[in-house]
Amino acid sequence: SQPDPEAAWLRLAGRASEACFRALIEHAHDGIVLFDADGTILYASPSTTKLLGWRPEELQQRQALEFVRADSQDAVREQLAEAVRRPGVAISSQAHVRHRDGSWRFLEGTFTNLLPEPGIGAIVNNFRDLTGRKRAEQRQAAFAALGRRLNVASDATEAARIIVGVADELFGWDSCKVDLYDAQTDQCRSILTMDGVRGQRQGPERDDVQRGW
């Protein structure tokens, strides 16, 4: 039989498209993960390693929710369920996801149900890391609140407690000490100390209960 030029061209075009697709995936900055309907990870793009530290093969056949922080799991579970109910519709999602080093990263992305699509057969998750932006927003809000609260502090100890509370919220300090500098005497006075003992927060305690400003 005579060769079919059209079929040969389609096969060649298909291979070229696949190569182009793979090149785009491998060099993408955003992460791409494919899930089964029950949230099992079928595929993770190489960029996942840059974003979350996990090698793609370490993620395959594991449950997506295994990597989601407890306070984000209900929302992600519902978003996946909604994606299953609405094929082809991009469902927005935000969640804290565990990095391989144990830290949490704030991710934003979409779930798109392409399970019915031949050649894909998966829920596609495109995501990006917004941890830096989220932290910047939290710092900005915390410092704005700090200024407002300090304006109404009645004495140095109350101000120190406010500062320590904001710092703890932002940085999770295990311990700190607040001293008040007196420019007239060129000396520092200890105002407040906070410490952690066996993982339990102690304080903050007032070091000098007799002194105000």
Side-chain angles (χ1 to χ4, degrees):
S1 62
Q2 295 293 323
D4 185 344
E6 183 176 357
W9 169 254
L10 289 173
R11 286 195 297 272
L12 180 61
R15 286 195 294 270
S17 297
E18 182 179 356
C20 181
F21 174 77
R22 287 186 178 277
L24 288 172
I25 292 295
E26 290 174 1
H27 294 89
H29 293 292
D30 290 355
I32 299 175
V33 176
L34 305 184
F35 301 112
D36 202 346
D38 64 356
T40 301
I41 299 172
L42 305 175
Y43 167 84
S45 65
S47 54
T48 304
T49 305
K50 300 176 184 177
L51 295 168
L52 292 172
W54 301 96
R55 297 190 301 275
E57 60 270 21
E58 294 179 301
L59 300 174
Q60 291 174 6
Q61 300 307 311
R62 296 174 69 173
Q63 279 290 316
L65 289 176
E66 178 183 340
F67 302 92
V68 178
R69 204 168 73 180
D71 58 358
S72 297
Q73 287 185 7
D74 286 346
V76 171
R77 189 180 289 109
E78 174 54 35
Q79 289 151 4
L80 278 169
E82 185 178 359
V84 170
R85 294 192 300 267
R86 303 174 64 191
V89 178
I91 307 300
S92 298
S93 177
Q94 292 184 336
H96 287 91
V97 177
R98 180 162 52 90
H99 192 280
R100 199 174 190 276
D101 64 10
S103 64
W104 295 102
R105 303 300 168 91
F106 184 76
L107 305 184
E108 178 183 73
T110 58
F111 295 113
T112 306
N113 179 3
L114 298 181
L115 287 164
E117 293 293 325
I120 300 179
I123 296 174
V124 180
N125 176 216
N126 298 82
F127 66 89
R128 64 189 63 86
D129 184 0
L130 296 185
T131 306
R133 192 177 84 181
K134 187 73 172 178
R135 286 175 179 167
E137 291 173 352
Q138 290 173 334
R139 284 196 298 269
Q140 184 176 7
F143 284 125
L146 175 63
R148 291 193 298 270
R149 295 173 63 188
L150 285 177
N151 282 336
V152 295
S154 60
D155 57 29
T157 301
E158 183 180 353
R161 288 179 181 274
I162 292 170
I163 293 169
V164 168
V166 171
D168 187 33
E169 180 182 343
L170 288 175
F171 309 115
W173 288 351
D174 290 325
S175 61
C176 72
K177 191 171 188 294
V178 179
D179 293 337
L180 180 65
Y181 173 68
D182 188 333
Q184 292 182 345
T185 62
D186 194 28
Q187 292 182 343
C188 289
R189 290 184 290 142
S190 181
I191 299 297
L192 179 145
T193 300
M194 182 183 73
D195 202 355
V197 178
R198 296 186 181 90
Q200 299 297 316
R201 191 60 50 80
Q202 305 296 312
E205 297 296 340
R206 186 171 177 176
D207 290 338
D208 186 350
V209 296
Q210 301 301 321
R211 294 175 181 172
W213 290 102

